Amino acid sequence: MVKLTIDGREMEFAEGTSLFDACREARGEALPHFCYHPDLPIAGVCRLCQVEIEGMPKLTIAFNTTVRDGMVVHTRSERVRKAARQILEMHLINHPVDCPICDQAGECGLQDQYMEYGLYESSVEKDEKVHKAKAQVIGPHVILDKERCVLCSRCVRFCDHVTGTSELGIFNRGDRAEIGIAPGKDLNNPYSLNTVDICPVGALTSRDFRFKKRVWLLKGTPSVCPGCATGCNVRIDHEADRIYRLKPLYNAEVNGRWMCDRGRLEYRQVHAESRLTEPLVADGDERHAVEWPELWERLASLDRGGLAVASPGQTLEELVLFARLGAVLCGEGKVCGGPTEAGRGEGDDLLISGDRTPNRRSLAWLGLEEPAGADLVARAGGTVIVYGGDPVAEAPGFAEAAAHGTLVYLGTHRNATCEAARIVVPMSAWAEKDGIFANKAGRLQAVRRAVARPGEAREDWRFLADWLGRVTDEPQPAGLPELRRLVSETVPDVAGVDLNALPATGAVPVPAGSGGEA
Ligand code: SF4
Ligand code: SF4
Ligand code: FES
């Protein structure tokens, strides 16, 4: 261990600890910084994290200095503050200071530092500033304002070292130096929106989020991306039951600090016009909305026997209830997953999984096999209850096979299965409910309700428990905690895991016996 003094506090750190991390612990907050990022190679270009070390003639950059025994460090001395002020002043010379129309306002490193150091006005007139390109579209998702850039090079290092696509660079020198896109390239790698996250200022902003909402109005709900089997941890930023963006949440075991662009835009589905908002039934060729009592009557008159098809897009708790319901209504052994070909795509070595569903592992835990499309079609007949997914689109011939009986669809969106169904029940999207997904490694992660359900859409587990209560004498769980206790008692792969105590962010380790990385 190494003993040193930071801002008058004597502290001990393990050998090799960076002075940046030691100062964070001593101060209770990070040193000012632009170029430092824990997951990117060192750059040392902004010099904002300088500290004073007694006995050293010059100020020292903290993040590439390791702690030494006997060091006496000052992070808030007048020398340090003067140096920081000079650096900030230099940035302000040509910065447009257009915070009132900048999406980054409220979470901007430059704005924060100026507030801290009291430098509210630039000492250079607007007309004398070096002007650079503004609002330049540099890719499908990102827009660049060169005047706001502080040349920290984080975005350049991200594209060089994380995606390896090298679309961005710093060109020219002196006050003409500017961030830019490499000739002939677009910032169109599948992770491009992470550059917006790591840009400490409003130079890189999201085309999707642009001018939609002031960030201080947003509430954040920790959850999990439903876009693939990786299960990146995310924060759902929302206000007044509307989601405005997803941001990655740090989880060293799952996604680090990144997420893919496709997953980041998954939230749009929640508010899509194709959402189902009321129960529908078909009379002859006509389909119309009904009140709940009539829907229950229709469900009660369904013939027993048939097939129940579950989607890997549903939560563990929901799948447990649906498997039970399917066994009661259609028969033991008459419950399965959707066509095995569904929800497959290209994966990569970074985060994106070739399995584009969030909870296929739970289907396997419940013994719900996923037959090939042709096999699924051969099984369809009688009452066919589809819960999520779109087997009509994914398995040619499924609609025709199901038309011999009654097709019931429990789902969130109008899709081909919904169109073919005689009875449609509107359910909740992932951001409208609490539940658990098991990712490809079997990690149990909680999705959390961030926004209200639209119209008459039902909370899935309550609807399923209600239906089960009408067709069996079995007592049904009164709340989600009780259901979760039931799940851990009945699903051997999660036995012994307290499903009611999953952390708000981060995942519980792979339960014993559930296998390793899929
Ligand atoms: S665009 Fe942003 S992340 Fe890139 S160098 Fe400029 S300030 Fe840094
Ligand atoms: S890698 Fe998968 S889980 Fe992660 S953000 Fe993308 S789609 Fe979502
Ligand atoms: S954050 Fe320390 S030099 Fe940039």
Side-chain angles (χ1 to χ4, degrees), residues 6 28 96 115 125-126 136 205 228 243 309 316 384 396 468 512:
I6 302 175
M115 297 303 282
E125 289 300 317
K126 263 216 154 29
Q136 183 186 355
T205 51
C228 82
I243 301 174
V309 185
L316 173 61
V384 178
L468 260 173

Side-chain angles (χ1 to χ4, degrees), residues 225 227-228 230-232 259-260 262-263 351-352:
C225 171
C228 82
T230 300
C232 293
M259 70 184 295
C260 79
R262 187 175 155 276
L351 290 175
I352 299 169

Side-chain angles (χ1 to χ4, degrees), residues 16-216:
T17 304
S18 90
L19 188 53
F20 189 93
D21 289 339
C23 288
R24 184 190 341 244
E25 201 168 321
R27 293 159 50 99
E29 62 177 2
L31 291 165
H33 60 285
F34 284 155
C35 71
Y36 168 78
H37 188 282
D39 292 334
L40 297 175
I42 283 172
V45 291
C46 78
R47 309 198 72 78
L48 253 188
C49 68
Q50 292 181 111
V51 295
E52 184 176 355
I53 301 175
E54 285 188 14
M56 301 208 28
K58 289 186 180 168
L59 298 182
T60 303
I61 290 172
F63 80 85
N64 61 359
T65 306
T66 44
V67 292
R68 283 196 313 276
D69 219 21
M71 259 183 177
V72 179
V73 182
H74 302 282
T75 74
R76 292 188 165 102
S77 66
E78 192 40 44
R79 255 183 97 194
V80 171
R81 291 182 68 81
K82 189 173 167 207
R85 245 182 259 126
Q86 281 170 348
I87 292 164
L88 293 168
E89 182 59 22
M90 197 185 70
H91 284 305
L92 194 59
I93 288 175
N94 289 311
H95 192 280
V97 201
D98 51 357
C99 311
I101 54 150
C102 178
D103 279 318
Q104 191 82 359
E107 52 187 12
C108 172
L110 189 58
Q111 201 179 40
D112 291 349
Q113 299 308 325
Y114 275 108
M115 297 303 282
E116 166 79 21
Y117 290 96
L119 292 169
Y120 307 118
E121 296 291 335
S122 169
S123 53
V124 178
E125 289 300 317
K126 263 216 154 29
D127 294 348
E128 297 166 23
K129 296 192 180 206
V130 174
H131 291 290
K132 296 174 185 167
K134 294 182 80 68
Q136 183 186 355
V137 173
I138 57 169
H141 302 303
V142 180
I143 210 156
L144 167 65
D145 184 314
K146 291 187 179 184
E147 288 187 345
R148 294 180 187 155
C149 172
V150 293
L151 298 173
C152 72
S153 82
R154 281 183 181 186
C155 58
V156 179
R157 283 174 283 147
F158 177 83
C159 294
D160 286 349
H161 300 280
V162 179
T163 58
T165 43
S166 299
E167 296 97 334
L168 296 169
I170 292 176
F171 302 90
N172 305 329
R173 287 172 178 227
D175 67 358
R176 306 281 147 173
E178 62 179 35
I179 188 74
I181 193 98
K185 290 203 173 191
D186 271 344
L187 183 59
N188 63 357
N189 70 65
Y191 297 90
S192 68
L193 280 165
N194 291 285
T195 61
V196 173
D197 295 339
I198 60 177
C199 180
V201 292
L204 296 173
T205 51
S206 158
R207 293 176 71 182
D208 178 63
F209 182 66
R210 198 168 157 78
F211 301 142
K212 295 251 174 76
K213 188 56 80 179
R214 282 317 210 171
V215 298
W216 52 85

Side-chain angles (χ1 to χ4, degrees), residues 122-406:
S122 169
S123 53
V124 178
E125 289 300 317
K126 263 216 154 29
D127 294 348
E128 297 166 23
K129 296 192 180 206
V130 174
H131 291 290
K132 296 174 185 167
K134 294 182 80 68
Q136 183 186 355
V137 173
I138 57 169
H141 302 303
V142 180
I143 210 156
L144 167 65
D145 184 314
K146 291 187 179 184
E147 288 187 345
R148 294 180 187 155
C149 172
V150 293
L151 298 173
C152 72
S153 82
R154 281 183 181 186
C155 58
V156 179
R157 283 174 283 147
F158 177 83
C159 294
D160 286 349
H161 300 280
V162 179
T163 58
T165 43
S166 299
E167 296 97 334
L168 296 169
I170 292 176
F171 302 90
N172 305 329
R173 287 172 178 227
D175 67 358
R176 306 281 147 173
E178 62 179 35
I179 188 74
I181 193 98
K185 290 203 173 191
D186 271 344
L187 183 59
N188 63 357
N189 70 65
Y191 297 90
S192 68
L193 280 165
N194 291 285
T195 61
V196 173
D197 295 339
I198 60 177
C199 180
V201 292
L204 296 173
T205 51
S206 158
R207 293 176 71 182
D208 178 63
F209 182 66
R210 198 168 157 78
F211 301 142
K212 295 251 174 76
K213 188 56 80 179
R214 282 317 210 171
V215 298
W216 52 85
L217 298 174
L218 295 170
K219 291 183 202 67
T221 300
S223 192
V224 176
C225 171
C228 82
T230 300
C232 293
N233 291 202
V234 298
R235 191 187 70 213
I236 304 172
D237 281 352
H238 55 95
E239 199 234 357
D241 289 325
R242 190 107 206 143
I243 301 174
Y244 287 90
R245 63 180 185 181
L246 299 186
K247 287 278 187 183
L249 281 183
Y250 178 64
N251 185 326
E253 304 294 328
V254 180
N255 55 302
R257 290 181 171 81
W258 317 127
M259 70 184 295
C260 79
D261 294 349
R262 187 175 155 276
R264 199 183 288 255
L265 299 177
E266 277 282 333
Y267 80 88
R268 291 170 172 177
Q269 285 301 319
V270 175
H271 304 304
E273 279 194 5
S274 57
R275 279 302 300 276
L276 292 166
T277 57
E278 54 192 357
L280 304 171
V281 300
D283 285 317
D285 291 339
E286 286 287 303
R287 221 168 52 170
H288 55 94
V290 290
E291 300 291 327
W292 286 99
E294 187 178 343
L295 183 98
W296 284 117
E297 273 174 34
R298 301 278 184 135
L299 294 177
S301 63
L302 287 171
D303 290 338
R304 296 289 175 104
L307 185 68
V309 185
S311 153
Q314 308 306 144
T315 67
L316 173 61
E317 302 93 320
E318 292 161 357
L319 289 172
V320 166
L321 288 175
F322 183 72
R324 182 75 198 114
L325 181 70
V328 170
L329 294 175
C330 302
E332 293 291 341
K334 295 293 187 143
V335 190
C336 64
T340 186
E341 304 91 338
R344 309 281 180 180
E346 284 264 308
D348 66 18
D349 295 337
L350 189 51
L351 290 175
I352 299 169
S353 169
D355 177 0
R356 297 289 171 78
T357 69
N359 198 21
R360 215 179 278 271
R361 182 59 73 112
S362 290
L363 283 182
W365 284 344
L366 298 175
L368 302 179
E369 57 153 334
E370 294 174 275
D375 187 9
L376 188 74
V377 171
R379 297 183 194 195
T383 298
V384 178
I385 307 169
V386 173
Y387 183 24
D390 193 4
V392 167
E394 293 148 353
F398 187 82
E400 293 74 11
H404 296 303
T406 305

